[in-house]
Amino acid sequence: MPTAADAAIRCKDGAQWSGGRWIITPYCKDRQLVRVAREFGVRTTFNAVRFSVSEKRRVCRVVGFDIRVSQTCSQYRNDRRRGPIWIY
């Protein structure tokens, strides 16, 4: 259930209005991830994404290619590049 504090938070494109300017916050990035996921037909909730790493990983595997959430999902996607593999 959203609280009164949640209702006071203004999010836009993954950023939160705070102190007279927009700042990127994990809370608003999760809100945007859920919004984008729903646009693609993924059934999820904000609370599920916010409080479950496995749900966030699942959603990111489906919609993480979208530029709007690619940074949010970078650690959960399988195709991201890792550093060089050193063979000794």
Side-chain angles (χ1 to χ4, degrees):
M1 293 288 294
T3 64
D6 290 333
I9 296 174
R10 279 181 50 199
C11 294
K12 178 182 175 184
D13 300 330
Q16 178 179 331
W17 184 254
S18 177
R21 62 188 172 128
W22 292 102
I23 58 171
I24 303 296
T25 63
Y27 180 90
C28 288
K29 286 170 55 174
D30 287 348
R31 282 256 182 236
Q32 181 166 355
L33 177 59
V34 171
R35 186 176 55 80
V36 170
R38 288 179 179 164
E39 287 177 13
F40 281 93
V42 176
R43 298 180 83 187
T44 191
T45 65
F46 172 72
N47 284 335
V49 168
R50 184 81 174 136
F51 300 111
S52 171
V53 174
S54 62
E55 177 66 4
K56 191 172 199 174
R57 182 180 296 120
R58 181 187 75 84
V59 171
C60 283
R61 286 186 178 153
V62 176
V63 300
F65 64 88
D66 190 291
I67 191 74
R68 297 171 291 176
V69 294
S70 61
Q71 185 179 16
T72 302
C73 290
S74 65
Q75 63 182 328
Y76 301 108
R77 297 200 45 218
N78 291 332
D79 64 339
R80 72 177 189 158
R81 293 192 55 137
R82 303 187 196 290
I85 299 172
W86 300 100
I87 300 172
Y88 295 98

